[in-house]
Amino acid sequence: MIILKLGGSILTNKNSKKAEVNYTNLNRIANEIKNALINKGMDNFINNNSSDQGLVIIHGAGSYGHPPAKKYEIGNNFNNDEYPKKRIGFSKTQICVKKLNTIICDVLVNHGLPCVSIQASSFITTKNKRINNFNLDLIERYIDEGFIPVIYGDVVLDDELKVAVLSGDQILQYIAINLNLSSKSNKKEVILGTDVNGVYTKNPKKYDDAKHIPVLTSLDDIDELDSTTNIDVTGGMIGKIKELLELAELGIESKIINANEDGNILDALNNKDIKGTRIK
Ligand SMILES: Nc1ncnc2c1ncn2[C@@H]1O[C@H](COP(=O)(O)OP(=O)(O)OP(=O)(O)O)[C@@H](O)[C@H]1O
Ligand SMILES: C=C(C)CCOP(=O)(O)O
């Protein structure tokens, strides 16, 4: 079972205040995923009768979701009289990330990948920003039937805050911990594609003396807990690492790689050893 996260910094121009898809990366990565599945015998790979593999794709919101979520401060406390504005902000943000997901699924399906869109805001809730209701049955059924579910960072109803932002990184953690496929081996390979070669001692885009960390086991390995260089309402790299360290505590290893590098997604799906950071 492969759980693949495609970061918003890869699929969109995350530095842009405008919602901009990086079609060059999206088409290249769709091709790499398709070629990886063909290498694995595409029918075997996604057909539960003859393969122990399955694939779930999770993607971030990038410049589609983070700007509106920040503008409307989704997830922050608010006064009752501010609720109507917060509510329309929720609706606008949900539409933005749904538009991004539709574009991404269109490209993946046009590359022959049997993807199905899964919208977090239609069935997942949180309490104080942590998932408290996420039924995986349908996702498991889709995988058993050979589909590739594509779920993404979204806005959701929150039992304490009324509304909140749910990151793709938290969705990835929940799926990696709780997905249970009777028809496939439960060995999970967790791969996250972002726009840097993994985790460094500090932000490599800001500091020339940042040192690459091949294996990360604690936040203490990082000198500067900077999160990201663009608009990000879900904690950026540090938020990502926290989700993955919780996974590691449960014995589920993950790897952050640079999906900007041509061929890295293909090689990672084919279990080749490529530069990145293993979180264990
Ligand atoms: N210690 C660090 N090591 C590596 N990158 C870091 C570090 N600190 C901050 N960063 C920044 O984190 C960014 C990647 O995190 P980000 O959350 O933006 O990735 P993403 O997964 O593509 O986005 P999203 O979560 O929206 O899907 C890098 O572009 C880098 O500038
Ligand atoms: C900003 C929204 C709505 C979702 C954020 O998801 P992420 O980009 O995976 O952190």
Side-chain angles (χ1 to χ4, degrees):
M1 185 66 221
I2 299 175
I3 301 168
L4 174 65
K5 165 100 190 285
L6 300 175
S9 66
I10 293 297
L11 300 176
T12 74
N13 176 358
K14 203 174 171 184
N15 297 317
S16 165
K17 283 208 169 32
K18 283 195 319 184
E20 283 178 5
V21 171
N22 183 326
Y23 282 99
T24 304
N25 275 355
L26 176 55
N27 281 291
R28 172 178 54 78
I29 289 170
N31 212 35
E32 290 186 32
I33 295 171
K34 183 192 70 178
N35 290 335
L37 299 193
I38 289 172
N39 293 351
K40 291 170 184 281
M42 193 149 177
D43 284 348
N44 291 342
F45 177 86
I46 55 179
N47 176 329
N48 66 308
N49 300 325
S50 58
S51 159
D52 67 356
Q53 283 285 18
L55 172 64
V56 181
I57 295 174
I58 299 144
H59 68 77
S63 57
Y64 272 71
H66 288 270
K70 183 176 175 67
K71 175 181 175 185
Y72 290 95
E73 298 182 325
I74 306 292
N76 291 11
N77 290 321
F78 57 92
N79 302 320
N80 280 342
D81 61 338
E82 295 169 312
Y83 182 54
K85 187 175 180 205
K86 188 74 72 176
R87 189 170 50 194
I88 201 70
F90 179 103
S91 301
K92 288 181 176 182
T93 306
Q94 190 208 39
I95 286 175
C96 289
V97 293
K98 187 167 62 172
K99 277 179 182 169
L100 175 60
N101 176 258
T102 301
I103 291 167
I104 291 169
C105 287
D106 266 349
V107 170
L108 293 172
V109 171
N110 288 338
H111 278 75
L113 296 167
C115 292
V116 282
S117 170
I118 305 285
Q119 185 186 42
S121 47
S122 61
F123 72 113
I124 300 174
T125 61
T126 54
K127 181 173 184 179
N128 280 322
K129 302 183 182 182
R130 299 307 294 175
I131 292 171
N132 69 342
N133 191 342
F134 182 171
N135 184 316
L136 285 165
D137 292 353
L138 199 59
I139 287 178
E140 289 167 357
R141 175 102 181 264
Y142 272 122
I143 296 169
D144 282 342
E145 298 299 334
F147 287 97
I148 301 173
V150 180
I151 187 168
Y152 52 98
D154 200 347
V155 282
V156 293
L157 292 179
D158 187 281
D159 291 1
E160 294 289 333
L161 307 168
K162 268 197 180 299
V163 294
V165 174
L166 174 60
S167 76
D169 295 327
Q170 186 181 166
I171 292 172
L172 173 140
Q173 185 210 73
Y174 189 92
I175 288 176
I177 294 170
N178 297 288
L179 194 71
N180 188 7
L181 295 167
S182 52
S183 65
K184 299 190 191 318
S185 77
N186 257 323
K187 180 184 179 313
K188 292 164 183 155
E189 291 166 61
V190 182
I191 301 164
L192 297 92
T194 187
D195 65 346
V196 287
N197 289 332
V199 185
Y200 289 72
T201 51
K202 40 194 164 182
N203 189 341
K205 286 185 184 168
K206 284 186 180 174
Y207 303 96
D208 294 340
D209 62 340
K211 290 183 180 46
H212 181 257
I213 302 171
V215 180
L216 184 118
T217 57
S218 160
L219 272 180
D220 296 341
D221 300 339
I222 298 172
D223 299 340
E224 176 99 18
L225 296 183
D226 180 352
S227 66
T228 185
T229 41
N230 39 45
I231 298 176
D232 192 296
V233 298
T234 52
M237 180 58 83
I238 302 309
K240 191 184 318 297
I241 292 167
K242 288 176 180 171
E243 301 291 354
L244 299 177
L245 284 171
E246 284 184 27
L247 262 190
E249 279 169 26
L250 297 171
I252 303 173
E253 190 175 310
S254 55
K255 186 163 187 179
I256 299 175
I257 63 169
N258 188 339
N260 261 330
E261 296 279 315
D262 200 340
N264 270 2
I265 291 286
L266 172 66
D267 289 346
L269 291 176
N270 285 334
N271 299 314
K272 291 204 179 137
D273 188 20
I274 52 171
K275 184 168 184 176
T277 296
R278 286 167 51 216
I279 290 91
K280 55 185 289 188

